[in-house]
Amino acid sequence: MQDEIDIEVQRFMHANRTGIRVLAVHEVEQLIRKTLTRGTILGWAHGEAFQRERMQAKIDQLDYEMKCIQERLKDAEMELLAVQK
């Protein structure tokens, strides 16, 4: 995520190559709003990716547990058939 933040900083710096100057109040407000918006979007995107990874791991775990239960059920059915004969 730090790399993406650095990219945004570089994008801003390339857009403002005019050198050092004094910013008006509305320019500072725009800069803060833009920075917070992009930071929020970056954080949200990374949070969603992390959540997706967690959910996939949970699905994989549940799938494994289901296979184990199915195997135990098959074994129990075989034992039951053997006892009935």
Side-chain angles (χ1 to χ4, degrees):
M1 189 159 111
Q2 186 62 43
D3 292 338
E4 292 177 29
I5 292 171
D6 293 340
I7 290 169
E8 290 298 323
V9 169
Q10 290 303 317
R11 184 181 301 160
F12 174 76
M13 294 303 293
H14 287 300
N16 296 303
R17 289 249 179 218
T18 58
I20 298 174
R21 67 185 186 115
V22 176
L23 297 175
V25 172
H26 75 277
E27 291 175 318
V28 172
E29 288 173 353
Q30 285 178 330
L31 179 59
I32 291 170
R33 186 174 293 111
K34 189 181 211 181
T35 303
L36 288 174
T37 301
R38 289 188 179 191
T40 301
I41 291 170
L42 284 173
W44 178 81
H46 280 274
E48 285 295 312
F50 179 70
Q51 180 69 6
R52 189 171 32 254
E53 290 172 8
R54 281 186 42 216
M55 288 294 113
Q56 186 60 50
K58 190 168 190 158
I59 288 169
D60 292 344
Q61 177 65 28
L62 290 172
D63 187 45
Y64 172 76
E65 289 175 11
M66 181 62 108
K67 287 179 183 176
C68 290
I69 290 170
Q70 287 172 339
E71 288 177 15
R72 289 193 311 201
L73 180 60
K74 285 180 186 177
D75 291 342
E77 288 174 342
M78 295 301 274
E79 287 179 23
L80 181 61
L81 286 173
V83 169
Q84 288 177 350
K85 289 186 179 188

